Every structure is written in structure tokens, then in C-alpha cells.
Amino acid sequence: GLPEININGVTGYMSEVGNVKKMSENAFAILKDEKTHLKFKSNALDQAKKFGIDKIVPQYEALYKRVVK
């Protein structure tokens, strides 16, 4: 996942790109532990809301306005 969105140990686990073994181990670890699964699920939703269209579009608009000047 993207480190700006997925916070290792908070919203999920991070793995090196292409490390399928570690990715699958992480996925199984989350799915086997309901407490961790629910924690990550809740934290991930909160984190995703930071990147909602209502938050991101104004940032892009401000950037475009600065670049156009």
C-alpha cells in the first residue's frame, strides 16, 4: 500500500513491492485475528476520510491556481 494512506501497524501492514510471501502472511495475520482486523478496518476508514474528494479537490485547485499565476 501507499505509505501516505496505509500506516504500518495502524491501518494495515506494509510489505515490500513484489514480496508476495510477506503480503500473504500479513493478510492471513489480519484475517486470523478479529481484534486486529476490526482495529485496522476502523483506522483505515478514518485514514481514508482524510483523502476524500471534499479534502483533495480544494488542494488540487489551490495548486493549479499557484502554477497558473
Side-chain angles (χ1 to χ4, degrees), residues 26 39 42 63:
N26 288 341
K39 178 183 88 166
S42 175
L63 173 67

Side-chain angles (χ1 to χ4, degrees), residues 28-41:
F28 282 118
I30 293 167
L31 294 173
K32 288 191 316 190
D33 182 348
E34 186 173 355
K35 183 178 177 184
T36 299
H37 181 222
L38 293 174
K39 178 183 88 166
F40 284 173
K41 184 176 171 180

Side-chain angles (χ1 to χ4, degrees), residues 2 5 7 13-18 24 27 32 36 44 46 49-50 54-56 59-60 65-66:
L2 298 171
I5 298 172
I7 303 166
Y13 294 125
M14 297 294 291
S15 306
E16 294 292 322
V17 172
S24 63
K32 288 191 316 190
T36 299
D46 291 341
K49 288 178 182 176
K50 295 177 184 176
D54 59 320
K55 305 255 193 296
I56 297 299
Q59 292 178 31
Y60 275 107
K65 286 177 183 177
R66 285 195 311 267

